[in-house]
C-alpha cells in the first residue's frame, strides 16, 4: 500500500499552529505525520490541534513543561503504539513514539541535543549508541521500518539553522 509520510520538527506545536500548521495539515492530508519538539502536552492545546478530524493521534510528552516531545498523526489508525526506546536516561523527555501498522512500522524520533554542555553531549552519545540497538531490534522484525525525526546532527554548515551561532 502506498502512503504519504511527512515529518516535521514543530519547534513548539502551538507556535507551529500560529504559523499555519493546521491549514497545512488540512491541505496536505498526509497519511502519517511524525512530529518532533512538540513543547506541549495534550492538555495545552485544543481538540482540533490535539486530534485533527480524520486522524488517530498519539503524543509522547516530556515531563518537563515546554520541553521536547513527539507525536504521530495517522490515518488509518495503527495496530499499536509503543512509547520510548528503552533508554532510561531520556525516558521522561518524550523522545520516541512507534506506530505499528499492518504493513510497516513508523517511529517519530527526537534525538537529544548535545549543544548545551559536555555532560549533555555525553547523554546524546549514549542515546545514539542505544538507538543503534533499538533500531537493530526493529530491523530484526523483518518488516518495513521508517525512522523519521530530528536527529540533531548537522554534517555541514548548510545542514543547520544559524550555523555561526550553533
Amino acid at each position: 500500500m502506498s502512503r504519504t509520510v511527512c515529518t516535521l520538527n514543530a519547534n513548539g506545536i502551538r507556535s507551529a499552529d500560529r504559523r499555519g500548521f493546521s491549514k497545512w495539515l488540512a491541505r496536505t492530508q498526509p497519511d502519517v505525520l511524525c512530529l518532533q519538539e512538540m513543547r506541549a502536552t495534550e492538555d495545552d492545546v485544543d481538540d482540533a490541534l490535539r486530534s485533527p478530524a480524520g486522524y488517530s493521534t498519539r503524543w509522547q510528552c516530556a515531563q518537563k513543561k515546554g520541553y521536547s516531545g513527539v507525536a504521530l498523526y495517522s490515518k488509518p489508525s495503527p495496530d499499536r503504539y509503543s512509547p520510548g526506546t528503552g533508554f532510561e536516561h531520556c525516558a521522561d523527555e518524550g523522545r520516541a513514539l512507534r506506530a505499528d501498522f499492518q504493513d510497516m512500522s513508523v517511529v517519530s524520533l527526537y534525538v537529544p541535543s548535545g549543544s548545551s554542555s559536555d555532560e549533555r553531549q555525553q547523554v546524546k552519545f549514549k542515546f545514539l549508541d542505544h538507538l543503534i540497538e533499538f533500531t537493530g531490534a526493529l530491523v530484526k522484525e523483518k518488516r518495513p521500518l521508517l525512522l523519521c525525526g530530528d536527529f540533531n546532527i548537522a554534517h555541514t554548515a548548510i545542514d543547520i539553522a544559524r550555523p555561526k551561532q550553533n
Side-chain angles (χ1 to χ4, degrees):
M1 173 192 296
S2 177
R3 287 199 174 104
T4 301
V5 179
C6 295
T7 187
L8 171 71
N9 178 311
N11 196 15
I13 191 65
R14 292 168 289 190
S15 175
D17 200 46
R18 287 190 298 271
R19 294 185 318 260
F21 169 77
S22 290
K23 290 178 185 175
W24 170 85
L25 183 61
R27 183 178 66 252
T28 307
Q29 293 280 315
D31 297 306
V32 179
L33 174 61
C34 297
L35 295 162
Q36 304 85 39
E37 201 170 355
M38 300 297 282
R39 292 187 182 182
T41 67
E42 293 168 282
D43 295 336
D44 293 333
V45 299
D46 63 24
D47 292 342
L49 190 55
R50 177 179 35 259
S51 188
Y55 283 94
S56 171
T57 64
R58 181 68 55 98
W59 290 38
Q60 182 66 21
C61 304
Q63 287 181 359
K64 182 178 175 182
K65 192 156 181 67
Y67 188 69
S68 65
V70 295
L72 278 159
Y73 292 12
S74 65
K75 51 184 185 176
S77 296
D79 299 325
R80 73 178 179 155
Y81 290 102
S82 299
T85 65
F87 182 54
E88 290 305 315
H89 187 82
C90 295
D92 63 348
E93 294 183 8
R95 295 287 176 181
L97 180 61
R98 172 183 166 188
D100 293 328
F101 299 90
Q102 184 177 4
D103 59 339
M104 71 179 201
S105 294
V106 178
V107 177
S108 182
L109 180 72
Y110 184 38
V111 173
S113 172
S115 62
S116 64
S117 68
D118 288 340
E119 179 183 331
R120 197 61 185 171
Q121 183 64 42
Q122 294 309 308
V123 168
K124 178 180 180 173
F125 288 149
K126 288 178 184 174
F127 185 92
L128 291 171
D129 286 343
H130 177 78
L131 188 60
I132 292 169
E133 295 173 27
F134 172 75
T135 55
L138 294 178
V139 168
K140 286 180 183 176
E141 292 182 13
K142 303 269 189 221
R143 57 185 284 122
L145 170 66
L146 187 56
L147 192 61
C148 300
D150 181 343
F151 290 79
N152 271 312
I153 296 173
H155 181 65
T156 65
I158 198 170
D159 298 321
I160 190 168
R162 301 175 312 282
K164 289 182 181 175
Q165 296 93 328
N166 292 312

